[in-house]
């Protein structure tokens, strides 16, 4: 984008971060708006942010990313971060990793049982039927092991669900917040549910 300037900034200290370190993406230039229509007083901190060690008039995008190879690579959203076992996770990273955990697996959504923190819950679509259901406990154990190996955290619950639970019509993904609400109300119908010891199990929604 001609004339555009991007930076990766610590969202708490507003200091620019070095290449390879993840932070919030800030942008400024002629193509960047100066505020929301009709609400200028509300948007000054968002559209005219100033770095602690540099100039101002940056838009805080709310996107997470890092500078690499002369460009910016996006990694997620600031408010999507999950705190699990003292580790901050980007749910998109976990969901992408689970796609390679087995040919029977489809889309996944991960979230915390608490509001942004607490035990990690994995809702994973699985393509299986009939006698193949006997292998679901092993598949759930494989998912737990992959999350522990790649991200260093334990998984509070693994729910293996039918195709179409997470990704509707093959394209649109269900929002994590909505899936979490269904989970806490016990309305997610699972082919197999595996819970770690502790208060991670919600009201039961029944078998699918």
């Amino acid at each position: 984008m001609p004339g555009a300037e991007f930076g990766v900034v610590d969202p708490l200290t507003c200091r620019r971060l070095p290449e390879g370190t993840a932070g919030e993406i800030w942008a400024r230039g002629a193509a960047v708006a100066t505020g929301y229509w009709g609400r200028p007083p509300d948007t000054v901190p968002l559209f005219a942010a100033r770095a602690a060690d540099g100039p101002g008039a940056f838009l805080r995008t709310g996107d997470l990313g890092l500078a690499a190879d002369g460009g910016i690579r996006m990694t997620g959203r600031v408010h999507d971060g999950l705190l699990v076992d003292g580790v901050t996770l980007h749910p998109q990273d976990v969901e992408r990793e689970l796609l390679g955990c087995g040919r029977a697996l489809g889309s996944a959504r991960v979230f915390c049982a608490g509001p942004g923190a607490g035990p990690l819950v994995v809702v994973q679509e699985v393509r299986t039927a009939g006698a193949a259901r006997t292998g679901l406990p092993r598949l759930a154990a494989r998912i737990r092991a992959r999350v522990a190996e790649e991200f260093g955290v334990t998984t509070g619950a693994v729910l293996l669900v039918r195709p179409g639970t997470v990704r509707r019509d093959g394209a649109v993904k269900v929002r994590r917040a909505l899936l979490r609400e269904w989970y806490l109300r016990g309305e997610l119908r699972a082919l197999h549910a595996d819970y770690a010891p502790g208060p991670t199990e919600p009201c039961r929604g029944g078998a699918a």
Side-chain angles (χ1 to χ4, degrees), residues 167-186:
R167 187 180 288 277
R168 301 291 173 82
D169 301 323
V172 180
K173 276 195 174 184
V174 179
R175 290 182 295 110
R176 293 184 190 89
L178 182 57
L179 279 175
R180 179 177 177 272
E181 183 179 332
W182 292 347
Y183 169 77
L184 294 176
R185 293 205 306 249

Side-chain angles (χ1 to χ4, degrees), residues 90-141:
H90 303 309
Q92 299 90 342
D93 292 342
V94 182
E95 292 161 2
R96 281 193 296 267
E97 182 66 33
L98 292 178
L99 282 174
C101 202
R103 288 192 302 174
L105 299 182
S107 297
R109 282 299 212 194
V110 302
F111 49 84
C112 284
L120 183 70
V121 178
V122 175
V123 180
Q124 173 73 64
E125 289 188 358
V126 59
R127 297 181 286 270
T128 187
R133 288 197 182 195
T134 59
L136 294 181
R138 291 193 299 273
L139 195 55

Side-chain angles (χ1 to χ4, degrees), residues 3 12 17 25 68 101 115 179 187 195 208:
L12 298 179
L17 296 172
I25 299 172
C101 202
L179 279 175
E187 295 177 359
Y195 298 97

